[in-house]
Amino acid sequence: MSNAVGRDEPTTIWWWVKSVVSWLLLIAMVGILALTIVIPRIVGATPYTVLTGSMKPTYPPGTLIVVRPQDPQTLAVGDPITFQWESGKPDVVTHRITQVRRTSQGELTFVTHGDNNPSPDERPVVPEQVRGKVWYSVPYVGYVNNYITGKQRSDLLVVVVGGLLIYAVSMFVSSGLDKARKRRPESASDDDSTVTAVIPVVDADAPATTK
């Protein structure tokens, strides 16, 4: 009778903790990558980092905002927009539209106001200054965006996607091997059992007997 020890040990709590944490990190990395690099690139949007507290608490410093181009004629009161502070200069500001005006000549202008500022902006904004409307924001990752250039973003995308693919494949292979071991017949463990042969001992001095 074989006393083989089963090879399938119950999965430990630590194994489950590592697996859950690994998948959560994987999902988080994919989500951040998609929100900050992939989606803006696909739709032609631009990511910016909020540096001041003029739009607190909606967009505190360090927030990454993704600005999507939009026809100025469709903008309305309440829309947060990103615009050039001065026409022809690269510096941009993100404030909320509080008034939409038209001059006597029919020219469109916007009055903007930072949510956390005591008064509206002094200069009205013209359509040529508008870069777009804030589409969505991601807290805390704006500062990281400041240190990554365009080429670095492309390289980072390749590295992260490649790493995620390798990780996913390794997890899939590991899971397959575990399932294969669990399905192995229990009889395979009998190979390690020991068979003892019993050999009778004959006393040479004892008389032989026959029947």
Side-chain angles (χ1 to χ4, degrees), residues 88-154:
K89 294 187 177 181
D91 295 338
V92 296
V93 177
T94 298
H95 282 171
R96 197 178 303 279
I97 296 175
T98 56
Q99 294 184 48
V100 179
R101 296 176 176 175
R102 288 190 180 274
T103 65
S104 56
Q105 291 78 24
E107 296 176 352
L108 179 66
T109 61
F110 304 101
V111 176
T112 54
H113 190 170
D115 291 354
N116 196 41
N117 287 350
S119 58
D121 300 329
E122 295 180 359
R123 295 188 295 267
V125 177
V126 298
E128 290 75 19
Q129 293 175 260
V130 178
R131 293 290 185 86
K133 177 183 174 180
V134 177
W135 188 20
Y136 62 83
S137 62
V138 185
Y140 308 117
V141 299
Y143 291 132
V144 177
N145 180 67
N146 275 4
Y147 291 100
I148 302 176
T149 64
K151 185 178 185 303
Q152 289 173 334
R153 285 194 186 96
S154 299

